[in-house]
Amino acid sequence: MAERLVVIGGDAAGMSAASQARKRRGPEDLEIVAFERGNFTSYSACGIPYYLGDVVEDFDDLIVRTPEKFRDKQQIDARIHHEVVAIDLGARNVTVRDLANDSEAIEGFDQLVVATGGKPVRPPLEGVDARGIFGVQTLDDAVAIENFLENEKPKHAVVIGGGYIGLEMAEAFQLRGLDVALVERSAQPMVTLDPDIGELVAEAMRGLGVDLYSSEAVTGFEAKDGSVATVVTDNRTLHADIVVLGLGTRPNVELARMAGITIGESGGVKVDQRMQTEIEGVWSAGDCAEKINRVSGKPVAIALGTHANKEGRIAGINIGGGYATFPGVLGTATSKVCGYEVARTGLNEAEAKDAGFEFTTATSESTTRAGYFPGASPITTKLVVEQRSGRLLGAQIFGKEGAAKRIDGLAVALWNEMTVDAMVNVDLSYAPPFAPVWDPVLIAARKAWDKVQLELANLK
Ligand SMILES: Cc1cc2nc3c(=O)[nH]c(=O)nc-3n(C[C@H](O)[C@H](O)[C@H](O)COP(=O)(O)OP(=O)(O)OC[C@H]3O[C@@H](n4cnc5c(N)ncnc54)[C@H](O)[C@@H]3O)c2cc1C
């Protein structure tokens, strides 16, 4: 008789796991059922700001694979509008609510993948439930925001939270012709960057006409006839016809916690190297699962699609009878913000300090192409480097087109624990349309190497 795999969550991690398991085991050997409470499976949440900003025109392009395709091409029974409301580990079954028919059923499993993703932070502030205040997490949120923009024609948008999703949404609203204000509790937007790089992002936002209110906390919302009218901060009151909450996410682990699955210190589901929880045959992957930061060695909860797809793949290979391990993350991320590109990998200064490293930093200014070549534009590259050894610990990049993807070379160096000494001579490519003869990454490595050498000399 076929084993039964149940997947909770029908997006990146869950459906990657299902697809990989199916690749290795046919339907006669493994029955696969995936439950998704929303309207869509395998979608690109990452594309939402670009759809709402009219950069991506067709909504359907954000849907990578529909339930029908999963059924027809892979014999995966993907059921939308089905929410798993309980897991019984002893009986090895889940309770599933059919949201369309308002009914419940018990579904057994031999293997289970918990891929419930992240849960957007929704502050418990007065008025937060007013009409016109949106989270941005799923395609259903995108549909709701698009309908609101079309029907209500808001003029003033306030984005709360200056993480990359908040910034991408601020830019999307600008592209739609709205006046945009962004409120951020910290001194700079993008707290995953060091303050000096964050300040470059702040300047870019102001340059594009976004009203940035940093070091301000939102204290509540005022509504008129049930719809949001103002956002109140500890410093001012902002007119708002539409509000987006971009306060980040936490691992969505309540279901797992209630079932007795161990939650790690980062707040994500604790998994081993193969993405298995402490319960045999129960796996977890994606934003809900804990990861290990390869540089600090610490457990972390980082919500990125890149990790979710890879972790889902690893879980699926193991469920499919193969053997694969997940080696941890660097938190490599890039974003397009107000006409600029910004990227990071590894540890920033605060994280390096928190991990106990003694480090130095080097920031270099260069150009994305040969200085004389049309389109050459400034690029700032910052490296965080261990003292004495010169080992790379992290990197951040800010610049115009052609800047951000340079972070990938730095991520590979970081992954392989390279020192800046070794990086300086790496054989990177050069031609005037693509880079100066010394690529900005190499210039930054040289500068960091100089600093490490100087500090070593001072120690003698
Ligand atoms: C606006 C935006 C932009 C982003 N941009 C980027 C980017 O540029 N690069 C990047 O790497 N990452 C980006 N991300 C993050 C990326 O989308 C997530 O990391 C990724 O989607 C995580 O995949 P997941 O499968 O773990 O979780 P999710 O995509 O959150 O999927 C989990 C699914 O589980 C379902 N679910 C939850 N609980 C239940 C339940 N009890 N029963 C049934 N179904 C349930 C949810 O409805 C959801 O569909 C972005 C995210 C957003 C919101």
Side-chain angles (χ1 to χ4, degrees):
M1 203 172 109
E3 255 198 346
R4 192 167 205 238
L5 165 63
V6 164
V7 175
I8 312 175
D11 194 22
M15 298 320 286
S16 294
S19 295
Q20 282 299 325
R22 170 58 76 233
K23 250 187 179 178
R24 285 164 176 77
R25 294 174 69 178
E28 67 295 336
D29 182 35
L30 185 71
E31 180 193 354
I32 306 178
V33 188
F35 296 110
E36 166 55 52
R37 67 183 172 196
N39 275 311
F40 307 96
T41 51
S42 267
Y43 51 88
S44 173
C46 315
I48 293 174
Y50 304 102
Y51 166 67
L52 292 173
D54 281 346
V55 178
V56 173
E57 282 173 18
D58 193 347
F59 179 80
D60 289 342
D61 288 347
L62 300 184
I63 301 160
V64 183
R65 194 155 262 227
T66 60
E68 293 73 30
K69 273 213 175 129
F70 277 113
R71 258 193 299 275
D72 296 346
K73 303 240 182 246
Q74 294 174 275
Q75 289 86 48
I76 293 172
D77 181 4
R79 302 187 201 165
I80 54 172
H81 306 134
H82 281 72
E83 182 172 19
V84 175
V85 292
I87 304 169
D88 185 334
L89 293 172
R92 286 189 97 76
N93 65 41
V94 294
T95 305
V96 186
R97 187 168 295 150
D98 180 340
L99 300 173
N101 297 320
D102 203 16
S103 58
E104 269 188 16
I106 305 285
E107 301 276 355
F109 65 80
D110 299 296
Q111 308 273 342
L112 179 71
V113 175
V114 179
T116 44
K119 193 171 172 186
V121 174
R122 207 171 169 90
L125 294 173
E126 203 179 328
V128 73
D129 294 323
R131 222 175 130 262
I133 302 181
F134 297 94
V136 196
Q137 174 75 9
T138 63
L139 285 196
D140 296 306
D141 296 328
V143 171
I145 295 173
E146 177 60 28
N147 288 341
F148 193 88
L149 289 171
E150 280 298 316
N151 299 333
E152 310 290 327
K153 310 267 185 262
K155 290 192 171 50
H156 302 280
V158 177
V159 175
I160 300 170
Y164 76 93
I165 292 176
L167 298 190
E168 288 175 359
M169 285 304 300
E171 189 167 356
F173 284 141
Q174 275 231 324
L175 289 169
R176 293 288 287 259
L178 279 74
D179 290 335
V180 186
L182 188 141
V183 185
E184 165 60 49
R185 180 200 297 260
S186 307
Q188 276 97 13
M190 292 195 102
V191 289
T192 52
L193 303 170
D194 288 328
D196 49 345
I197 307 293
E199 185 49 36
L200 299 177
V201 175
E203 277 170 29
M205 291 176 68
R206 291 189 197 102
L208 210 74
V210 173
D211 293 327
L212 174 63
Y213 301 106
S214 47
S215 305
E216 280 189 35
V218 172
T219 55
F221 304 89
E222 290 167 349
K224 201 172 162 210
D225 302 328
S227 295
V228 67
T230 64
V231 173
V232 185
T233 79
D234 47 14
N235 228 1
R236 72 193 78 236
T237 298
L238 295 163
H239 181 185
D241 305 317
I242 182 168
V243 172
V244 156
L245 303 173
L247 295 163
T249 60
R250 302 265 177 278
N252 182 13
V253 295
E254 283 325 304
L255 196 58
R257 194 196 303 275
M258 279 183 335
I261 296 170
T262 305
I263 308 301
E265 64 183 87
S266 70
V269 175
K270 198 170 164 60
V271 287
D272 65 14
Q273 300 271 338
R274 299 178 74 195
M275 305 309 300
Q276 190 166 224
T277 69
E278 288 179 350
I279 315 286
E280 182 78 26
V282 177
W283 312 76
S284 186
D287 287 0
C288 62
E290 184 163 271
K291 301 129 206 352
I292 300 297
N293 182 303
R294 279 173 71 89
V295 188
S296 68
K298 293 190 175 198
V300 289
I302 300 178
L304 282 173
T306 46
H307 304 161
N309 279 287
K310 292 182 187 111
E311 292 174 358
R313 173 177 170 272
I314 298 292
I317 290 172
N318 288 314
I319 294 164
Y323 178 83
T325 57
F326 187 67
V329 301
L330 298 174
T332 309
T334 135
S335 195
K336 187 174 156 298
V337 182
C338 299
Y340 286 83
E341 298 180 355
V342 53
R344 60 150 283 157
T345 188
L347 307 183
N348 61 26
E349 286 192 51
E351 289 162 343
K353 190 163 177 241
D354 188 45
F357 286 108
E358 288 186 8
F359 60 91
T360 187
T361 66
T363 302
S364 75
E365 306 293 343
S366 179
T367 50
T368 50
R369 304 170 180 197
Y372 57 81
F373 200 88
S377 60
I379 170 171
T380 302
T381 309
K382 176 171 181 175
L383 303 187
V384 180
V385 174
E386 188 176 29
Q387 268 187 10
R388 298 180 184 85
S389 76
R391 176 186 153 203
L392 184 66
L393 299 176
Q396 294 156 55
I397 290 179
F398 179 86
K400 290 235 166 174
E401 195 173 350
K405 283 300 271 180
R406 283 188 158 93
I407 204 72
D408 290 341
L410 288 161
V412 172
L414 190 55
W415 190 268
N416 290 297
E417 301 187 11
M418 287 180 78
T419 62
V420 282
D421 187 9
M423 284 166 63
V424 167
N425 293 313
V426 169
D427 192 2
L428 297 190
S429 63
Y430 156 66
F434 306 115
V437 69
W438 281 92
D439 190 273
V441 163
L442 298 184
I443 296 174
R446 270 171 51 178
K447 198 161 176 188
W449 185 79
D450 285 347
K451 278 189 92 173
V452 171
Q453 293 304 305
L454 191 67
E455 281 165 3
L456 277 177
N458 287 341
L459 284 173
K460 283 182 185 153

